[in-house]
Amino acid sequence: MPARSDTEKPISPPSTRPAGGLARLGGWCARHPALVVTAWLLILAAALAGRHAVAPAFSDQVSLPGTQSSTGADLLAAHSPGAGGSTGRVVFHGGSGTVTSDGSVSRSVSNLAHLPHATSASTPVVSADGRTAYTTVRFDVQAKTLGHDYARQLDRATRPAREAHHDVAYGGDLDQVTRQPADDRAAELVGVLAALLVLLLAFGSALAAVLPLGSALVAVGTAVGVVGIVAGTVSFATSAPTLATMIGLGVGIDYALFLTTRFRQDLIDGHDPVAAAARTTAASGRAVLVAAVTVIVAMLSLYACGLAFIGKLGFAASLAVVITALAAVTLVPAALSLTGRRIDRVALRRPVAETSGDRDGWHRYAAHVARHPWRYLAVGTAVLAVLALPALSMRLGHVDASADPAGSTSRTAYDLVADATGPGFGAGANAPLTLVIDLGADRSRASGLAQGLRHTLQSTPGVAAVTTPRPTPDGELLTATVTPVHGPQEEATTTLVTTLVDDTLPHALRGTTAHGYVTGTTAAQVDFRDTVRQRLPVIIATVLAAAFLLLMTVFRSLVIPAKAVLLNLATTAASYGVLTAVFQWGWGSGLLGLHEPVPVESYVPMMMFAIVFGLSMDYEIFLLSRIAEVWRAGAGNARSVGTGLATTGRVISSAALIMTAVFLSFATSPTVVVKMLALGLAVSVILDATIVRLVLVPSSMLLLGRANWWLPRRLDRCLPRLQA
């Protein structure tokens, strides 16, 4: 951009006739509103009907090819028939006496062994007091492939025990069957009502408030249907529909809010509804698409980590953003045209639009920042730094069934086993580790290796019990089960897995050709955590590079994208800090329905980085777009910053309140991962809309002056022409 002084100059009026593809699209939708609205309603109905027809299944099972736990599992499947699938635990509990004394448990175990895909059901392990027992059911397939309807077959098989008035609960890999996608309809309703209240306060008009909400609901409903249809062929995590709904609802309302605000301003400026809709789509619609592309790029960048489980979560969220963005530039202009000048007819107070003039509160605030930019920059930076401090102690791990909702079958099974005493019971019994020893050329030494290995394992700190290693039918492997002292999500159990893999097994097998592996659900979760930790820098680098290139192209500057990247990194770090303090340290976790501190779920930081970065960019793009618009019209830097804050202050504050309310409503979800994402995202939005947008962005732009728009001429000629 050309250099200019910061002295005030007359601002060139913008063109009264918008041009470009978006303007033509918005104008066409505004001239054919009934057709566009009808088309969207038909698409919504088709998407929901398709989801119902597909009946998608969701699973949290993770595949980690190439890791030591995966290698061990593959060896076991190849050399031990029936061991290549998964195992589930069925727990029986009686009020008094011995639970296995009446024969109902034995009949239930026999029924379980004859279920489809069940290869065996072990003899029940009974607690010291006889009141609790469990059987381990082996399947020839992974539990996630059984589908949620398989729970009915489990219930029929265990009917004898239930009829004998015993409690029955399902744990282990069976949580893939029993754990349905969270029913977050109550959270969605709370979020929608909160958004409606904010819109009413922001616009002062019932129609202006309902329009963004209605268009967002249509878009989100369509997105949920599409995610369900895609889930018929792509295995999504159980949190995928909730994540898509949460992100889609937040950005969908915000995108429609930005367009509605601009439309009302154009009406106030004297344009007719069709022309105003076209102008709105050309101006704010472009910013919406740039913001949406930023979020989508950040979400799809999750595939760069090489973990399909995480990449698919980003894909599900991206589908929601794509659909809400398309609705914003088609359905919203059509709805605005239908409403026309009646948009403020049902007014609760005097309607206002983008700004009330050069002397309003936002301009006065901008002037104050201009007088003390260093002070604002220092205070804003200090606040983010303090909030980020707890992140230095963040511990990644897997949130186990002990954090599931009280009364759920997985939580009941976990508690019954953890609370009982005797061999095979205790907290560590919920975290069994399977040891696989590939004997190689030492098959003849199997007996001696087994005895020495058992002795070494028994003396390993953190081991509660270990079975004698036994050979597989073909004699190629030795297998044993290690029971830790502590539960699956405890740091001591993670340390034990690392010790077994890195020290115990290599030491015990030294001097032989044998190789040892630790497998099972708990070991796989540890490998998953380590893999995520190793690949997080790849995600960060990918998202930062993509965002930098996009912003550099849009704003024709090297300084603005560099500054945006740094500010969003700081926002993410501060959000990590709050997440650590609440969930890991337990500060206020009771308000979220958690009875004890839990580690931060392994993939949440990676997901949060991508989502936070994408969403935070939304507000900066809208603010910077208005600043750039005034700058291009000929104003100085200080005037551009002040006008940008004033014209976006009300709408971005309202959008941030809406998104915060939507995210916080999902913090009541029974799924801990959803709670983490909801709280982390809400905190990031609050920080971005206050500390970043109101303090750090204006103060840094005022300090940098003309340098904000610096871009080498050669690079300027090479970049494609995009504007937000």
Side-chain angles (χ1 to χ4, degrees):
M1 290 206 173
R4 65 177 72 111
S5 70
D6 279 340
T7 57
E8 295 298 331
K9 295 182 180 180
I11 301 177
S12 303
S15 172
T16 58
R17 296 188 66 182
L22 281 177
R24 290 192 294 272
L25 175 63
W28 188 90
C29 292
R31 291 190 297 273
H32 306 87
L35 177 62
V36 174
V37 172
T38 301
W40 269 102
L41 292 177
L42 290 175
I43 293 172
L44 170 63
L48 294 178
R51 185 182 193 278
H52 180 74
V54 169
F58 299 89
S59 170
D60 290 326
Q61 193 155 348
V62 179
S63 175
L64 294 171
T67 59
Q68 68 86 29
S69 61
S70 178
T71 302
D74 291 342
L75 284 170
L76 194 60
H79 295 281
S80 181
S86 56
T87 61
R89 179 175 287 174
V90 180
V91 185
F92 306 92
H93 181 72
S96 60
T98 303
V99 71
T100 57
S101 62
D102 60 9
S104 62
V105 170
S106 297
R107 292 194 298 274
S108 296
V109 171
S110 177
N111 293 341
L112 289 168
H114 290 87
L115 284 176
H117 298 292
T119 59
S120 66
S122 67
T123 301
V125 180
V126 185
S127 62
D129 62 5
R131 296 176 57 192
T132 305
Y134 66 82
T135 179
T136 300
V137 184
R138 290 193 173 277
F139 299 93
D140 57 10
V141 295
Q142 295 299 318
K144 67 177 181 180
T145 65
L146 297 175
H148 299 306
D149 289 340
Y150 198 81
R152 296 193 183 95
Q153 298 188 56
L154 293 172
D155 288 340
R156 285 195 293 269
T158 57
R159 184 177 299 163
R162 297 178 191 277
E163 291 176 345
H165 306 292
H166 298 317
D167 296 327
V168 181
Y170 310 120
D173 291 342
L174 284 177
D175 63 359
Q176 302 293 321
V177 173
T178 61
R179 187 178 292 161
Q180 299 277 352
D183 185 357
D184 292 310
R185 285 175 293 185
E188 294 167 11
L189 179 60
V190 171
V192 168
L193 292 177
L196 179 60
L197 177 60
V198 174
L199 288 168
L200 287 172
L201 293 175
F203 284 126
S205 164
L207 284 177
V210 170
L211 193 148
L213 191 59
S215 63
L217 289 175
V218 171
V220 170
T222 303
V224 170
V226 170
V227 168
I229 293 172
V230 175
T233 55
V234 176
S235 178
F236 284 127
T238 55
S239 59
T242 300
L243 180 64
T245 301
M246 184 167 60
I247 300 298
L249 194 59
V251 301
I253 296 175
D254 280 7
Y255 292 165
L257 169 64
F258 290 129
L259 269 75
T260 303
T261 301
R262 189 64 178 255
F263 175 79
R264 295 170 77 240
Q265 185 65 52
D266 280 337
L267 289 182
I268 292 173
D269 292 342
H271 297 283
D272 67 83
V274 173
R279 291 174 56 84
T280 293
T281 310
S284 294
R286 183 178 292 111
V288 163
L289 292 183
V290 172
V293 169
T294 305
V295 177
I296 293 166
V297 168
M299 292 290 95
L300 294 182
S301 296
L302 290 169
Y303 274 107
C305 72
L307 298 173
F309 176 85
I310 295 177
K312 290 173 185 177
L313 280 172
F315 177 48
S318 297
L319 288 174
V321 176
V322 167
I323 292 171
T324 53
L326 290 176
V329 295
T330 55
L331 177 60
V332 173
L336 290 172
S337 176
L338 277 176
T339 307
R341 298 188 184 280
R342 298 187 300 275
I343 194 168
D344 290 324
R345 180 166 296 179
V346 187
L348 306 180
R349 59 173 172 80
R350 182 177 177 271
V352 292
E354 288 184 323
T355 178
S356 55
D358 288 347
R359 297 184 180 275
D360 65 6
W362 292 107
H363 277 93
R364 292 193 296 272
Y365 172 76
H368 194 271
V369 175
R371 291 193 296 271
H372 309 283
W374 283 109
R375 184 183 305 172
Y376 277 86
L377 184 64
V379 171
T381 302
V383 170
L384 292 183
V386 170
L387 290 175
L389 284 176
L392 296 175
S393 65
M394 184 168 64
R395 180 173 71 88
L396 301 183
H398 174 62
V399 180
D400 61 32
S402 66
D404 284 355
S408 64
T409 187
S410 55
R411 170 72 177 277
T412 301
Y414 182 98
D415 289 344
L416 288 174
V417 172
D419 295 341
T421 58
F425 290 89
N430 287 303
L433 305 172
T434 301
L435 268 59
V436 178
I437 310 299
D438 185 1
L439 294 171
D442 289 293
R443 293 179 60 182
S444 60
R445 301 173 56 187
S447 179
L449 281 175
Q451 293 303 319
L453 183 61
R454 187 171 189 271
H455 177 74
T456 301
L457 292 170
Q458 286 176 326
S459 61
T460 302
V463 173
V466 58
T467 63
T468 301
R470 298 184 181 279
T472 53
D474 61 5
E476 295 286 341
L477 309 177
L478 288 176
T479 64
T481 299
V482 172
T483 302
V485 172
H486 302 282
Q489 71 182 20
E490 299 299 324
E491 188 170 11
T493 302
T494 301
T495 301
L496 173 61
V497 174
T498 304
T499 300
L500 292 174
V501 173
D502 295 340
D503 299 321
T504 305
L505 292 180
H507 175 75
L509 301 175
R510 185 177 301 162
T512 72
T513 60
H515 295 280
Y517 306 91
V518 182
T519 188
T521 301
T522 302
Q525 290 294 344
V526 174
D527 281 347
F528 181 71
R529 181 208 64 172
D530 294 341
T531 303
V532 167
R533 182 180 292 169
Q534 293 167 3
R535 298 180 184 179
L536 182 58
V538 176
I539 291 297
I540 293 175
T542 302
V543 174
L544 294 185
F548 185 91
L549 291 173
L550 177 63
L551 293 180
M552 179 177 64
T553 304
V554 169
F555 293 108
R556 321 303 295 181
S557 167
L558 282 176
V559 177
I560 284 180
K563 184 172 57 180
V565 163
L566 290 175
L567 291 177
N568 279 279
L569 280 174
T571 302
T572 304
S575 301
Y576 285 174
V578 174
L579 207 65
T580 302
V582 172
F583 289 94
Q584 186 175 314
W585 294 0
W587 291 4
S589 60
L591 297 176
L592 298 176
L594 297 176
H595 63 286
E596 62 181 18
V598 296
V600 177
E601 182 67 45
S602 299
Y603 63 88
V604 164
M606 187 179 288
M607 290 293 303
M608 268 191 59
F609 177 78
I611 299 173
V612 167
F613 203 90
L615 295 181
S616 297
M617 285 294 185
D618 277 10
Y619 297 137
E620 291 184 40
I621 285 172
F622 280 102
L623 171 59
L624 292 172
S625 296
R626 300 312 297 270
I627 293 175
E629 184 178 329
V630 180
W631 170 268
R632 294 185 186 111
N637 188 60
R639 175 72 180 276
S640 300
V641 173
T643 303
L645 281 174
T647 55
T648 62
R650 181 181 295 107
V651 65
I652 292 183
S653 297
S654 299
L657 279 173
I658 289 169
M659 197 170 285
T660 300
V662 169
F663 289 157
L664 286 180
S665 68
F666 282 90
T668 62
S669 171
T671 306
V672 179
V673 171
V674 174
K675 291 179 186 289
M676 290 183 180
L677 287 172
L679 180 64
L681 295 178
V683 169
S684 72
V685 169
I686 293 171
L687 294 177
D688 190 71
T690 54
I691 303 299
V692 173
R693 177 177 63 93
L694 297 181
V695 179
L696 295 177
V697 168
S699 61
S700 61
M701 291 197 74
L702 289 165
L703 285 170
L704 289 170
R706 293 189 301 273
N708 285 305
W709 310 103
W710 177 73
L711 182 70
R713 291 184 178 179
R714 288 186 178 180
L715 183 58
D716 187 30
R717 288 193 294 268
C718 296
L719 295 175
R721 293 287 167 179
L722 297 175
Q723 286 186 353

